Amino acid sequence: MLFLILLGPYMWGQDPYAQDLSRALTAPSLTHWLGTDQYGRDVLARVLLGGRLTIGTSVIIVTLAALGGTICGMLAGYKGGFWDWLVVRIGNLFLSLPTLVLAIALAALLGGGLDKVAYIFIILYSPKYARLARSLTKELKAAPFIHIAKLEGKGTWHILWHYIGPNINHAIITTAALDLGVVLMELAGLSFLGLGAMPPTPEWGSMLSAGRSVMQMAPWLVLGPGVGIVLTVGSVHIACEQWRRKL
């Protein structure tokens, strides 16, 4: 999948934005392997470019949420006090609400757009990593090697970066890998509802939304992005399971 979305647009060569109304809703052929859409645009070219946007945005969301949440969680678990109380309360608040429903409400309130949706998901997913990192840090901070580091005069950030971080990164990475597939589906879902990527930007969710009205006469419009979502999410979960077994 990574090979397809990174190199596919260059290898295929078709312009995903080029319109030709005389070729609108053309069935799959040797010229257009996945046919064309209502505006005569090549569906395969749009699927390949849309995958880059969908998967790339999902990776950015999960990476920033994991980094921000992990840093806050480690600091809360190590220092305790008011910061620990604040992280726990904020985490409880966000985790008590359904993520997708809250994301839909916030995206509708802010007017939609892929950038706004990405910010919303980063904020909503960060508390999950903060609570996980906090819990793991509280278990580790009583370990003998942490006491030795303190006696050697190591500072808080040095201990978090060099001692605690390397010991909890496997759990964080595994959780992030699992979340990647979930975020990808939720991101495509918001675009399907018209709250994510806006036309004519090719994005798998918005392509599904655009093709549903003519799905009976032109099923290839939803076949490409639908298969892309299924294969990507399935690949992510299979890779994550292999990663967990090796750990």
Side-chain angles (χ1 to χ4, degrees):
M1 294 303 298
L2 290 175
F3 173 80
L4 287 176
I5 65 171
L6 291 176
L7 300 180
Y10 302 106
M11 297 177 63
W12 182 236
Q14 295 276 5
D15 186 354
Y17 295 101
Q19 299 184 16
D20 186 358
L21 296 179
S22 64
R23 295 179 176 271
L25 297 179
T26 301
S29 63
L30 293 178
T31 305
H32 303 284
W33 289 5
L34 292 181
T36 62
D37 63 5
Q38 300 94 321
Y39 302 98
R41 297 173 298 196
D42 187 79
V43 174
L44 179 56
R46 293 181 64 79
V47 168
L48 294 174
L49 187 60
R52 183 183 298 179
L53 181 63
T54 303
I55 298 175
T57 305
S58 302
V59 170
I60 292 173
I61 290 172
V62 173
T63 301
L64 294 181
L67 284 175
T70 300
I71 292 173
C72 292
M74 287 195 302
L75 189 61
Y78 184 76
K79 299 294 288 186
F82 174 76
W83 184 253
D84 185 37
W85 177 88
L86 182 63
V87 168
V88 171
R89 295 300 177 270
I90 294 177
N92 290 339
L93 175 62
F94 279 97
L95 294 177
S96 64
L97 301 171
T99 303
L100 184 57
V101 175
L102 186 58
I104 292 174
L106 292 174
L109 183 64
L110 296 175
L114 191 61
D115 53 344
K116 296 176 183 177
V117 170
Y119 296 144
I120 290 170
F121 276 125
I122 292 171
I123 294 172
L124 294 181
Y125 272 88
S126 294
K128 175 181 181 179
Y129 294 95
R131 285 182 63 95
L132 176 60
R134 170 187 173 273
S135 176
L136 296 173
T137 302
K138 290 180 76 69
E139 295 177 2
L140 282 173
K141 73 175 185 178
F145 64 90
I146 299 296
H147 290 295
I148 294 175
K150 289 180 180 179
L151 292 175
E152 292 177 349
K154 305 297 183 182
T156 299
W157 291 107
H158 183 91
I159 293 175
L160 293 178
W161 180 260
H162 293 280
Y163 294 91
I164 294 179
N167 285 282
I168 68 173
N169 61 5
H170 291 303
I172 300 297
I173 293 174
T174 302
T175 303
L178 287 171
D179 282 343
L180 181 60
V182 177
V183 170
L184 191 149
M185 289 190 295
E186 292 180 346
L187 184 65
L190 262 67
S191 295
F192 181 83
L193 296 175
L195 299 173
M198 300 299 178
T201 303
E203 196 275 336
W204 285 346
S206 62
M207 292 178 66
L208 287 174
S209 179
R212 62 178 175 174
S213 60
V214 293
M215 187 169 58
Q216 293 184 342
M217 59 183 298
W220 55 86
L221 293 184
V222 298
L223 182 63
V227 171
I229 292 173
V230 172
L231 290 180
T232 303
V233 174
S235 301
V236 167
H237 282 275
I238 291 174
C240 183
E241 285 298 322
Q242 295 296 324
W243 167 266
R244 292 175 63 181
R245 291 177 183 177
K246 289 181 179 180
L247 292 179

